[in-house]
Amino acid sequence: MTSDLIFEMVMQNPTLCTELVQRALPELEMGPLHLVNPQQDVHSALLARAVRYDIYAQDEAGRTFVLEMQVKDERDLAERIRYYQGMMDQLLLRSGDSYRQLATFPTYVIFFCQFDYYGRGWARYRFEDREITDPLMTAHNGQHSVIFNATATDHRRAGALGPFLDLIAGNVNNKDKFIAQIQAEIKSIKMNQERWLENMLYELKMQERFDAGEEQGLKKGVHQVLSTERNRTVQKFITWSRQRGADQATVVTDLAELYGISK
């Protein structure tokens, strides 16, 4: 699973998403996630930057989870987590609500990275606000951030999530029941072209064909005469990917994984 697009589609399955969060946060007693929104948009003030979460989910205990697959190191992960946490609260607190209500809505931002952002070689980094002179004292503000590093060779910090990190790194362990279920879901998505196309078109009204004057860089290597349904679908996918901010390398990676072909 090297594509954030595949990650989004697979984790729309509430059962798989719940199991992933449980493995990522084994200290929690997880109940079923009753809300799983792929590509959840959050808008704030008119001129403020909006965010789009890969997966936004909640459980019956009032806990909120944002799950993100990060393929490329943009060198802004810490700042992104800070912004994500603030925007999550805007979905939880309504006008006129007391700030005290946030105490009942802990938030968790979880990143699965294909790089080691903090450079320690650890498989798992977890952060909470703590008092500087007494690190044992937490701020108790309910905000939690967890970053996983799929490039780590030692998965002891990751615990039961180790096989999932291996999957991100390209090493499949189908002896793990959870990984086998993920692989089956990926296979189902790839076989059902209508399903994944419907997901991609969920928020966008796609035009049927490329505008001949647009996206010249991405159109290299793509036949101008698209005679098959598969090629028309690829066109739509490229347009959709570019509109969501993906660069050319990411589009190539996503297409290769979706179709099981080489880059």
Side-chain angles (χ1 to χ4, degrees):
M1 184 186 291
T2 58
S3 162
D4 59 345
L5 177 62
I6 291 291
F7 174 77
E8 293 167 18
M9 292 182 177
V10 170
M11 290 307 150
Q12 290 177 43
N13 181 321
T15 300
L16 294 179
C17 191
T18 299
E19 177 67 16
L20 180 62
V21 174
Q22 181 66 83
R23 291 189 178 213
L25 302 168
E27 63 275 14
L28 300 183
E29 293 185 10
M30 289 294 302
L33 293 174
H34 61 82
L35 175 63
V36 179
N37 287 348
Q39 289 292 312
Q40 171 73 44
D41 285 311
V42 184
H43 299 274
S44 182
L46 180 61
L47 298 180
R49 176 167 182 166
V51 299
R52 174 171 289 184
Y53 303 132
D54 284 353
I55 295 293
Y56 178 90
Q58 294 176 324
D59 67 3
E60 294 179 355
R63 297 175 296 207
T64 303
F65 306 90
V66 162
L67 284 67
E68 294 275 327
M69 172 75 75
Q70 193 71 14
V71 177
K72 184 179 179 182
D73 185 0
E74 301 288 353
R75 302 184 183 277
D76 63 356
L77 187 64
E79 294 78 15
R80 181 176 299 191
I81 290 173
R82 169 182 166 179
Y83 197 68
Y84 278 18
Q85 286 281 10
M87 296 296 279
M88 289 171 73
D89 287 341
Q90 294 197 33
L91 291 175
L92 298 171
L93 207 61
R94 304 299 181 186
S95 177
D97 287 348
S98 168
Y99 292 121
R100 291 190 298 272
Q101 289 185 231
L102 288 178
T104 62
F105 299 113
T107 56
Y108 297 81
V109 175
I110 307 172
F111 270 83
F112 302 97
C113 300
Q114 297 183 34
F115 52 87
D116 185 2
Y117 186 76
Y118 290 99
R120 296 287 186 92
W122 299 349
R124 182 196 195 209
Y125 301 91
R126 179 166 182 176
F127 298 96
E128 296 177 352
D129 288 343
R130 295 182 178 271
E131 211 284 327
I132 293 176
T133 57
D134 183 5
L136 295 178
M137 178 181 176
T138 66
H140 292 295
N141 59 11
Q143 291 186 337
H144 308 268
S145 305
V146 189
I147 299 93
F148 288 97
N149 163 30
T151 66
T153 56
D154 185 351
H155 287 171
R156 283 177 294 180
R157 283 177 174 262
L161 194 72
F164 183 76
L165 296 182
D166 285 336
L167 179 63
I168 295 176
N171 303 314
V172 181
N173 176 15
N174 281 319
K175 293 182 179 180
D176 186 290
K177 182 179 178 181
F178 177 52
I179 300 304
Q181 291 173 333
I182 290 177
Q183 289 293 91
E185 187 75 5
I186 292 174
K187 182 178 180 181
S188 175
I189 290 170
K190 290 181 178 180
M191 289 180 64
N192 190 343
Q193 193 174 88
E194 290 183 1
R195 177 186 170 190
W196 68 258
L197 180 57
E198 180 181 353
N199 276 277
M200 289 189 295
L201 300 180
Y202 180 73
E203 296 179 2
L204 298 172
K205 293 182 179 179
M206 297 292 298
Q207 56 186 6
E208 285 297 320
R209 302 177 183 276
F210 266 135
D211 183 331
E214 294 180 351
E215 307 295 349
Q216 293 298 323
L218 282 175
K219 289 172 69 177
K220 292 179 179 179
V222 179
H223 295 297
Q224 292 184 357
V225 179
L226 301 173
S227 58
T228 68
E229 182 62 30
R230 171 163 156 164
N231 281 343
R232 285 195 293 270
T233 301
V234 168
Q235 275 192 325
K236 293 180 179 182
F237 173 78
I238 293 174
T239 303
W240 177 84
S241 296
R242 291 298 286 163
Q243 289 184 7
R244 64 194 284 266
D247 58 22
Q248 183 165 343
T250 301
V251 174
V252 170
T253 299
D254 286 346
L255 281 171
E257 182 151 358
L258 282 167
Y259 282 113
I261 58 179
S262 70
K263 294 182 181 181

